[in-house]
Amino acid sequence: MSRTPSWEEARHDDRRARQWLAGRADGRGVPRQALLELGAAMGALAAAAREREPVAVTADPVGVDPGPAPIVKPLPEALFDRLDTNAEMRWAAMAGQGYVVPTDRFFVRNHTRTPRIDPDDWRLSLFGSGLRGRPGRDRPVEFGVADLRRLPAERITALVECAGNGRRFFDSQQGTPAPGVAWGLGGVGVAHWTGVRLSTVLRRAGLTDAAVDVQPEGLDPEYVTGGVNLGRVRRPLPLRKALDDVLLAYAMNDEPLPADHGFPVRLVVPGWIGISSIKWVGPVEVSAAPLFSPWNTRFYRMFGPGHAAAGDPLTAQSVKSAFALPWDARVPVGAEVLLHGRSWSGNGPIREVRVDTGDGWRPADLVAADAGGPWQRWTAVWRPPAPGRHHLRARATDVTGAGQPDRAAPNALGYLFDGVVRHPVTAV
Ligand SMILES: Nc1nc2c(c(=O)[nH]1)N[C@H]1C(S)=C(S)[C@@H](COP(=O)(O)O)O[C@H]1N2
Ligand SMILES: [Mo]
């Protein structure tokens, strides 16, 4: 799997931001009111700092039957922690598991709710100024599920992680709370994904040299926040990434994609923040002009001290490590415990993992078979020396040399936590 250096994308996005600020943005598809809001958010650093990523979101008026639950699959307490419209995987649920996260425990991040889509009615609809003949939204180039299945299939193993994963620790460990879904470390998962390369579909749809951005749009309900309808969930991808390793997936862990994970078709954008991997994709704009949406201008940017006034773009995920243990696990004093965990990074494979159980950092044993993959399993032996509370810590370094600091640099919306997490256990 080839990887695009994220600084390249940062530069690309930077250019986009400047074009946007210069008023050259193509705002089609963004409701006027949302654009005004967006302009306000982009225009002033003060506004950015005050920006709040909302948690509870629903377009339903009060008193109206809310309809089906936001998530369709069962969410047993042993596997999930529910966070509003989302469900976080409990890391204890990965103890004894293989390389991938079984679908029944894969985390779910829904801005609103899982839509039920009839695959026979579903179409992938490509349109825009970056396609031959510049087809409009009303006269798109269409592909049905059967059309996609006839194209060359590819199976990849890739990690999907929410940019806000670990957000809770900005508060609990660092005293700098950030708004938004209070994820622990379970807003992440690795799965096998099967589908067709986005590049294959783009070329068949008549991609031209003029194209610069590709914006997939979800078919889930429009996202309403602070009384403003921001429209359907969508976020532009630079063409370079879209043509690189992005998949239009119709299967997850060798089964049809489940409703909650984007049935019938979703994007999988390896290494990049979860919002890039648009679920329930329908329309796809292919544009010769830069594209913007609230998901790349207002949310999913780094705002705050040390960041540009317009915010810094987010592309690749940061480095993290987790123990496959319950939070506040009980362990027997004096007995040998084999600790299991995993580390990962959006920049590429993990090179090294170290563990501290209270008496200094030492190397963890890496599972050799995982080398080069999207995450790395590891183990470490520990004999809890005394009854009472202990803290377990793990820190990883990836192939680019990026590691995990003791303290993550805070940002206004609490993205990309990469600090070392203190995992409490009690020896009895
Ligand atoms: N259409 C649509 N796509 C979406 C979302 C969404 O709410 N709607 N959430 C995004 C976010 S923020 C994340 S982290 C991933 C989560 O994928 P999963 O629910 O399959 O784990 O989906 C992304 N794709
Ligand atoms: Mo996310």
Side-chain angles (χ1 to χ4, degrees), residues 2 60 146 199:
S2 60
D60 298 324
S199 61

Side-chain angles (χ1 to χ4, degrees), residues 93-391:
M94 283 310 286
Q97 295 298 325
Y99 190 72
V100 300
V101 175
T103 306
D104 67 353
R105 60 205 65 189
F106 204 96
F107 85 102
V108 180
R109 163 64 170 129
N110 281 350
H111 278 72
T112 60
R113 66 186 51 195
T114 294
R116 305 315 299 261
I117 295 172
D118 180 345
D120 295 330
D121 293 342
W122 178 88
R123 295 284 180 280
L124 188 73
S125 314
L126 297 103
F127 65 97
S129 54
L131 294 179
R132 219 167 20 240
R134 306 168 69 92
R137 189 180 258 269
D138 51 330
R139 289 188 42 237
V141 182
E142 294 190 329
F143 296 79
V145 175
D147 300 324
L148 295 185
R149 284 181 178 275
R150 272 194 294 271
L151 294 173
E154 193 163 318
R155 182 174 180 272
I156 65 172
T157 303
L159 182 133
V160 174
E161 181 179 22
C162 191
N165 196 29
R167 179 179 286 131
R168 166 150 69 85
F169 302 107
F170 279 113
D171 185 11
S172 65
Q173 289 196 169
Q174 307 192 170
T176 54
V181 181
W183 300 100
L185 287 173
V188 63
V190 169
H192 303 302
W193 308 95
T194 308
V196 52
R197 286 258 184 170
L198 177 59
S199 61
T200 304
V201 171
L202 288 173
R203 294 205 168 97
R204 295 214 172 210
L207 185 70
T208 70
D209 287 348
V212 295
D213 278 354
V214 176
Q215 179 157 266
E217 188 174 301
L219 295 173
D220 40 338
E222 295 178 338
Y223 183 65
V224 177
T225 178
V228 180
N229 186 344
L230 299 180
R232 283 172 170 164
V233 176
R234 61 200 186 284
R235 189 178 202 252
L237 278 173
L239 187 70
R240 182 181 168 139
K241 181 66 174 173
L243 291 182
D244 183 13
D245 54 0
V246 177
L247 201 67
L248 282 163
Y250 45 71
M252 177 181 186
N253 292 334
D254 303 311
E255 301 282 347
L257 203 57
D260 296 312
H261 298 291
F263 181 84
V265 176
R266 78 174 301 168
L267 257 75
V268 175
V269 183
W272 280 31
I273 59 171
I275 185 64
S276 321
S277 294
I278 294 291
K279 303 192 278 188
W280 314 292
V281 60
V284 179
E285 177 162 12
V286 183
S287 177
L291 295 174
F292 301 89
S293 89
W295 287 268
N296 74 328
T297 55
R298 172 174 170 174
F299 308 127
Y300 302 100
R301 288 182 83 85
M302 295 292 234
F303 293 109
H307 294 290
D312 287 318
L314 282 180
T315 55
Q317 286 287 164
S318 57
V319 187
K320 291 193 191 67
S321 302
F323 288 89
L325 273 182
W327 202 250
D328 283 322
R330 298 196 154 241
V331 291
V333 179
E336 213 169 70
V337 181
L338 186 62
L339 301 169
H340 290 262
R342 301 181 192 226
S343 300
W344 61 95
S345 162
N347 302 318
I350 293 296
R351 190 171 68 194
E352 187 199 32
V353 183
R354 286 182 298 148
V355 167
D356 173 33
T357 51
D359 49 5
W361 291 99
R362 56 190 159 105
D365 292 315
L366 307 190
V367 173
D370 298 355
W375 65 10
Q376 173 68 55
R377 286 172 292 179
W378 45 262
T379 57
V381 175
W382 180 44
R383 198 185 289 275
R389 198 139 158 108
H390 300 267
H391 282 97

